[in-house]
Amino acid sequence: MMGNVPAVPGAQRSAAESAGPPAPATARRRVSPAAGVIIVTTALALALRLWQLGMHGYLFGVTEYDDGVYFGSAVRLLHGTVPYRDFITVQPPGVMLLMTPVALFAGPLGTAKALAIGRVLTACAGAGGVTLTGLLIRRHGVLAIAAACGFLAVYPDGVYAAHTVLIEPWLVLFCLAGALAVMDGDHLTSSSRRLAVGGAAFGFAGVCKTWAVIPVLVLLGLLVLPTGPHRAPRRTLVFLGGTVAGFAVPVLPFAVLAPHVFYNSVIVAQWSRTDDVRISLWFRLASMIGLSHGPELAHALLLAVVCATAAVAAGASLLATLASRRLPPPLEIFALASGALVVVAFLWPVDYYYHYAAFLGPFMALSVVLPVERLCRAGLPRPARPARPARSSPRAVYRMAVAATAMVVLVLAVLQGRTQPDPNYHGVADAIVADEHIIPAGSCVVADAVSYTIAANRFISTVPGCPEMVDSLGTDYALSHGRNGLTGAGNVPAVRRLWLSTLSHAQYVWLSGMYLRRIPWTPAISSYFTASFRLVRADASGRVYQRIRG
């Protein structure tokens, strides 16, 4: 057998022996710099969001109204109560469906701990948006990735929107997943499968919140642009078909079971909402650029920052286009157009809440980073300068820019980690623990904010005929075409009848500090409540009333 081994000269044999066996393929693989930046910024984003959850009683306490609606709807669905048919909510069922598997833990663990799991998952979804943003622009270099992902990791309202079960982190996650599937680098993919998958992701984003229609319309506009003979219509139809399927499959079962209520709740109530106070322009602008949780700023300075941000995005895109003599690539147009439309959508209605800005974050980051990076690559002509004895290497300058970006992101992360939460929520978690003993388990409790009963493990009732109401404010909106307790919902007979029926079945009533806005206190409702209930507890968690007569 030895004769079959070819002879190896001595020098070659010693070299081969010293080299050893070839390294396995996995050993030669290294994490690329771009992947490393994505991993680091995602870890930073997740750390900030989990740190926030661990502080100030956020994990098990009450911090929002909306999270109780979304998670409570999932618990009701598991118990056989159908949304829109048996109770009203004014948002599409996307987040409710996402929380339904988590709601399975409400039985063995209690609703408070199950909601805590949902909050952790939402924090992960918020950090996942950073990962998808990095993957979307992974071909643009480490500096662009560090700037965009670093911005999203520390974006104040993006971080705060992930502190509980809110829509925006999930909406952003599915929109970015759709964009990642539809985009091949800077351009639209030619793959029908990817277009269909991307459309389905955008469709489910619309099931979370109808704002997803904004990037969908922008992509449809890009798809109908002529890119080749007979290809644009087919590509458009494939993407549109995927979007319709991604939206219709989760929505149709609920819409078919209660078409009239679904339409009035999700469409009419949202478009016709009449609030008692219009949110100021300055708060909206401060929130959108990430300054609403910082120190108070003069309006002139705030306006200057907003104008500077818009000028950088638009100016860089225009200069890069002139320098390269090419139109912006589809990815850049997608970011700029979507961001501009989202800003308009946020400035138009009466209502605006801090967590809305989380939806703008990715588009704003890409709208600034992509044009600036393209402008740098375009190589604008520079005026001639006298030769210098020594010039800094472009690679050294690039590394310095990356290091400076990392330093800025780190400083902003520290500042964001030190931001104090809303003081109105301090002490609520501790007070709710006491309220668990005031209200016996299994009691029929009606609350204007079910997030309180969920946190106190008093959301699930064993009393037959207990009202299934989850969204008190949304119920008013749906039955009164967008009005609440302070803007005339009590003038609608259907609203008055529903609230009188709801209160007539309650053993306990738990009112938060916003109860005047959520319950229409007409003379008939006020008289019935005063005669039927007595106050048994009042503290930071609100006021608890117990029935004294049938």
Side-chain angles (χ1 to χ4, degrees):
M1 295 296 295
M2 293 297 293
N4 295 330
V5 179
V8 179
Q12 294 182 9
R13 184 183 299 114
S14 60
E17 291 173 354
S18 62
T26 55
R28 292 195 297 267
R29 293 177 184 172
R30 299 287 180 87
V31 176
S32 68
V37 172
I38 294 173
I39 293 171
V40 169
T41 51
T42 300
L44 176 62
L46 183 59
L48 276 176
R49 286 152 178 80
L50 293 180
W51 166 264
Q52 176 181 247
L53 269 182
M55 301 296 290
H56 315 295
Y58 276 8
L59 187 59
F60 296 105
V62 175
T63 63
E64 279 291 338
Y65 171 86
D66 292 350
D67 58 354
V69 174
Y70 308 140
F71 188 77
S73 298
V75 175
R76 291 276 192 258
L77 180 63
L78 282 178
H79 284 77
T81 308
V82 180
Y84 312 104
R85 187 193 69 181
D86 301 323
F87 64 89
I88 293 174
T89 179
V90 293
Q91 293 291 353
V95 175
M96 177 195 69
L97 293 173
L98 290 170
M99 288 295 111
T100 299
V102 183
L104 290 169
F105 294 98
L109 299 180
T111 53
K113 291 181 180 178
L115 177 59
I117 297 174
R119 287 169 168 166
V120 172
L121 291 177
T122 304
C124 294
V130 177
T131 303
L132 294 179
T133 300
L135 294 175
L136 191 60
I137 60 170
R138 62 190 180 277
R139 301 179 185 179
H140 286 262
V142 171
L143 183 57
I145 297 171
C149 294
F151 172 82
L152 290 179
V154 301
Y155 186 47
D157 285 338
V159 174
Y160 202 46
H163 82 280
T164 189
V165 180
L166 293 175
I167 291 177
E168 284 75 15
W170 298 102
L171 173 66
V172 167
L173 188 72
F174 283 101
C175 282
L176 289 174
L180 186 62
V182 169
M183 293 292 175
D184 187 4
D186 283 343
H187 300 277
L188 293 166
T189 182
S190 59
S191 167
S192 296
R193 186 179 69 86
R194 289 182 58 179
L195 284 171
V197 171
F202 276 110
F204 191 81
V207 181
C208 294
K209 200 158 194 171
T210 52
W211 290 347
V213 72
I214 293 175
V216 167
L217 290 176
V218 173
L219 283 172
L220 286 174
L222 291 171
L223 282 166
V224 298
L225 293 175
T227 56
H230 309 297
R231 289 189 59 80
R234 183 179 67 83
R235 296 167 68 203
T236 305
L237 289 175
V238 169
F239 174 75
L240 188 59
T243 305
V244 171
F247 180 82
V249 170
V251 164
L252 273 180
F254 302 105
V256 168
L257 289 172
H260 181 69
V261 176
F262 184 89
Y263 175 75
N264 281 338
S265 302
V266 178
I267 307 298
V268 176
Q270 292 287 10
W271 281 95
S272 60
R273 286 169 63 169
T274 304
D275 215 333
D276 42 315
V277 177
R278 180 177 179 83
I279 304 301
S280 71
L281 172 66
W282 303 110
F283 176 80
R284 297 175 195 232
L285 293 177
S287 172
M288 284 187 273
I289 62 176
L291 297 177
S292 60
H293 297 289
E296 194 69 28
L297 294 175
H299 287 174
L301 177 58
L302 176 60
L303 184 60
V305 174
V306 173
C307 292
T309 303
V312 168
S317 183
L318 178 61
L319 289 175
T321 299
L322 293 175
S324 63
R325 298 180 181 179
R326 294 179 180 177
L327 290 174
L331 178 60
E332 187 176 319
I333 296 175
F334 169 71
L336 287 166
S338 298
L341 291 175
V342 169
V343 170
V344 172
F346 285 173
L347 296 179
W348 172 47
V350 175
D351 284 346
Y352 178 87
Y353 297 96
Y354 69 90
H355 47 85
Y356 287 5
F359 181 54
L360 175 63
F363 301 116
M364 183 163 59
L366 296 177
S367 294
V368 174
V369 169
L370 291 178
V372 170
E373 190 266 344
R374 188 164 64 95
L375 178 61
C376 294
R377 282 190 290 107
L380 286 176
R382 299 171 183 170
R385 295 181 181 178
R388 295 180 179 178
R391 293 182 59 187
S392 60
S393 166
R395 183 175 295 275
V397 173
Y398 188 81
R399 288 175 177 173
M400 289 175 62
V402 173
T405 301
M407 184 61 66
V408 170
V409 170
L410 183 60
V411 170
L412 292 175
V414 172
L415 293 176
Q416 181 63 26
R418 296 176 63 184
T419 300
Q420 294 296 317
D422 190 333
N424 293 329
Y425 299 124
H426 287 185
V428 173
D430 296 334
I432 286 176
V433 173
D435 283 328
E436 289 191 44
H437 304 291
I438 298 295
I439 304 172
S443 299
C444 180
V445 186
V446 169
D448 70 302
V450 297
S451 46
Y452 288 91
T453 55
I454 290 173
N457 293 308
R458 294 298 182 266
F459 179 71
I460 300 173
S461 173
T462 57
V463 178
C466 185
E468 304 286 355
M469 183 181 291
V470 172
D471 188 355
S472 60
L473 186 59
T475 300
D476 293 343
Y477 283 152
L479 297 180
S480 65
H481 293 272
R483 286 176 259 176
N484 61 41
L486 296 176
T487 58
N491 297 327
V492 179
V495 176
R496 296 196 299 269
R497 287 194 301 268
L498 179 62
W499 275 107
L500 283 171
S501 173
T502 299
L503 293 173
S504 68
H505 290 84
Q507 294 176 324
Y508 293 86
V509 176
W510 195 338
L511 301 180
S512 72
M514 299 288 288
Y515 72 96
L516 291 176
R517 186 169 181 263
R518 296 166 184 158
I519 301 177
W521 294 98
T522 63
I525 294 175
S526 297
S527 298
Y528 176 81
F529 183 80
T530 303
S532 303
F533 295 90
R534 67 179 179 89
L535 180 66
V536 294
R537 183 178 179 84
D539 51 34
S541 67
R543 289 180 285 178
V544 178
Y545 295 82
Q546 184 179 13
R547 178 173 292 280
I548 56 176
R549 51 177 286 186

